[in-house]
Amino acid sequence: VQLVESGGGLVQAGGSLRLSCAVSGSSFSNNAMGWYRQAPGKQRELVAAFTSGGGSTNYGDSVKGRFTISRDNVKNTMYLQMNSLKPEDTAVYYCYAWVVSVMYWGQGTQVTVSS
């Protein structure tokens, strides 16, 4: 199973980015999967996720109303639309997916929000 993220970069505060996570090697539609992020000197925190079965979503309190998680089951790709970005959103963003009780991670993509 491989997860490959893309879409990170540098953006000004108030701007938007869309991250993608392409999943290969596994069926996709019913897996629990989502996004974490880790800023320098801070613990990794949950950003957004699909729960097991793929039907429900969870969001971290700091991103509710600004970020939206979605998935395309045909393309086996998950997305994170990030709007109204703030400098405190600066972090490395990682996607993950649970496959048969094993948690797989992507390599991470850097998001930097300038003030």
Side-chain angles (χ1 to χ4, degrees):
V1 177
Q2 284 192 318
L3 285 73
V4 179
E5 297 123 337
S6 60
L10 174 64
V11 64
Q12 288 188 331
S16 298
L17 283 174
R18 189 177 79 157
L19 305 183
S20 299
C21 176
V23 181
S24 61
S26 171
S27 61
F28 182 84
S29 58
N30 294 318
N31 296 41
M33 55 195 312
W35 297 88
Y36 274 82
R37 69 185 181 186
Q38 188 164 23
K42 295 187 178 181
Q43 288 188 331
R44 190 170 291 193
E45 65 169 330
L46 178 69
V47 177
F50 288 102
T51 59
S52 180
S56 298
T57 56
N58 291 324
Y59 291 91
D61 288 341
S62 61
V63 306
K64 285 179 181 176
R66 300 188 297 122
F67 290 12
T68 303
I69 190 172
S70 64
R71 63 203 295 172
D72 184 328
N73 291 337
V74 174
K75 295 182 178 179
N76 266 23
T77 301
M78 178 176 61
Y79 303 98
L80 183 68
Q81 178 66 43
M82 306 185 294
N83 297 329
S84 302
L85 282 161
K86 305 175 181 180
E88 50 264 43
D89 294 318
T90 295
V92 178
Y93 285 70
Y94 299 89
C95 65
Y96 72 90
W98 282 98
V99 179
V100 194
S101 301
V102 177
M103 194 176 192
Y104 293 89
W105 292 91
Q107 80 285 358
T109 186
Q110 177 71 46
V111 172
T112 303
V113 184
S114 63
S115 57

